[in-house]
Amino acid sequence: MKVVILAGGLGSRLSEETTVKPKPMVEIGGRPILWHIMKIYSFFGLNDFIICCGYKGYIIKEYFANYFLHMSDVTFDMKNNKMIVHQCYSEPWTVTLVDTGENTLTGGRLKRVLKYIHDDEVFCFTYGDGLADIDIKKEIEFHKSHGKLATLTAVQPPGRYGSLVLDGTHVRNFQEKPPGDGAWINGGFFVLSPKVINYIEGDQSSWEADALMRLARDGELEAFNHSGFWHPMDTLRDKNYLETLWQSGQAPWKFWE
């Protein structure tokens, strides 16, 4: 089963990092968040990836072209023009990098990779900037059980600001990551039939505002509720929070060893 990942947006709310690299290449623990997302899927046996590139896509291409340089010890024999890779930490991945345009919207990017997925029964699709401890296997089973064209992952995000626990005017406690308002939102991590492409008109079609809305109206969209960890990387604050989790050894999305 293939996994399509959106990696072409500008990431303007994380401009501290994205002026020099695309958002999915912003690092958590010394590895691009894109790598973390791929490791989640790989843990569940999904190793065939299609990356929708756009803004500064050449950086993503260069990263995978030089993957051994990033992940291994290397000796350069300058005299004999040789490169020797030591302790090669390879992944069982097939990675197809597709230029889907700098100004293409999310739906349009998915439509541009149709030729790589049109023969599949189902495929996975997600954003290149969100992490979760989601059970991908269970979501795929759920998708196949209901027979609809699309499944999204519904999540309940934490509150964006710390909250006070008050007793009158006395501050009893402070919650850095309080619960949100209880609403379920689209958390990405979709499982889809290639037939969803029929709901996308072209490059300026939004996956969220156009295709998902139409799928919902036609009764072809189901939600896989995920009550565990989920967090996007929209801002520098989000990036720092995810980095703190990783450095503490308590990153909930790290299924692998």
Side-chain angles (χ1 to χ4, degrees):
M1 185 179 296
K2 297 182 179 67
V3 182
V4 178
I5 304 177
L6 291 173
L10 294 175
S12 56
R13 286 185 290 176
L14 194 57
S15 59
E16 298 90 345
E17 296 267 1
T18 56
T19 55
V20 295
K21 66 181 69 171
K23 190 178 181 183
M25 296 303 292
V26 174
E27 294 184 352
I28 304 295
R31 301 281 184 266
I33 191 171
L34 176 62
W35 178 89
H36 290 262
I37 295 167
M38 294 169 72
K39 289 287 283 187
I40 293 171
Y41 280 102
S42 186
F43 178 82
F44 292 99
L46 280 71
N47 296 302
D48 193 345
F49 297 96
I50 300 166
I51 312 298
C52 300
C53 300
Y55 172 71
K56 295 187 181 295
Y58 64 89
I59 293 178
I60 301 176
K61 293 179 180 179
E62 289 176 353
Y63 175 77
F64 286 106
N66 297 302
Y67 192 78
F68 288 142
L69 296 180
H70 294 283
M71 302 298 291
S72 308
D73 296 334
V74 181
T75 296
F76 292 99
D77 184 342
M78 308 300 285
K79 180 179 179 180
N80 296 304
N81 193 27
K82 292 182 179 180
M83 181 181 76
I84 303 169
V85 179
H86 308 281
Q87 300 173 335
C88 175
Y89 301 107
S90 62
E91 303 286 352
W93 297 345
T94 300
V95 184
T96 302
L97 302 162
V98 183
D99 182 3
T100 57
E102 288 205 4
N103 300 311
T104 309
L105 298 186
T106 49
R109 293 190 190 282
L110 177 55
K111 190 160 189 171
R112 284 204 181 193
V113 302
L114 172 62
K115 64 182 178 180
Y116 297 102
I117 57 175
H118 65 88
D119 289 333
D120 295 30
E121 179 186 359
V122 295
F123 67 97
C124 292
F125 176 52
T126 197
Y127 304 109
D129 61 357
L131 297 171
D133 60 352
I134 182 173
D135 190 326
I136 300 294
K137 181 180 178 181
K138 285 186 177 180
E139 186 186 15
I140 293 171
E141 291 172 352
F142 170 76
H143 175 80
K144 291 182 176 180
S145 72
H146 62 63
K148 305 297 184 181
L149 295 182
T151 298
L152 62 73
T153 297
V155 299
Q156 294 177 302
R160 299 297 293 178
Y161 301 98
S163 65
L164 301 176
V165 179
L166 298 175
D167 181 3
T169 60
H170 182 65
V171 178
R172 290 290 185 186
N173 199 359
F174 181 86
Q175 291 181 282
E176 177 61 25
K177 285 289 178 181
D181 59 10
W184 293 90
I185 68 167
N186 168 22
F189 294 96
F190 303 92
V191 183
L192 306 171
S193 162
K195 293 179 181 178
V196 301
I197 302 298
N198 297 327
Y199 288 79
I200 302 172
E201 294 182 358
D203 281 359
Q204 296 309 303
S205 180
S206 165
W207 172 246
E208 300 77 17
D210 300 324
L212 286 182
M213 294 291 287
R214 293 176 61 197
L215 284 162
R217 286 196 297 267
D218 287 354
E220 292 290 347
L221 180 62
E222 295 287 326
F224 178 77
N225 290 349
H226 174 64
S227 57
F229 175 85
W230 174 87
H231 208 286
M233 189 184 67
D234 288 332
T235 65
L236 184 60
R237 180 183 181 183
D238 292 327
K239 190 262 186 192
N240 290 339
Y241 174 64
L242 294 171
E243 181 71 31
T244 298
L245 288 176
W246 182 267
Q247 295 300 338
S248 71
Q250 300 177 11
W253 67 89
K254 187 182 179 183
F255 301 117
W256 63 94
E257 292 297 329

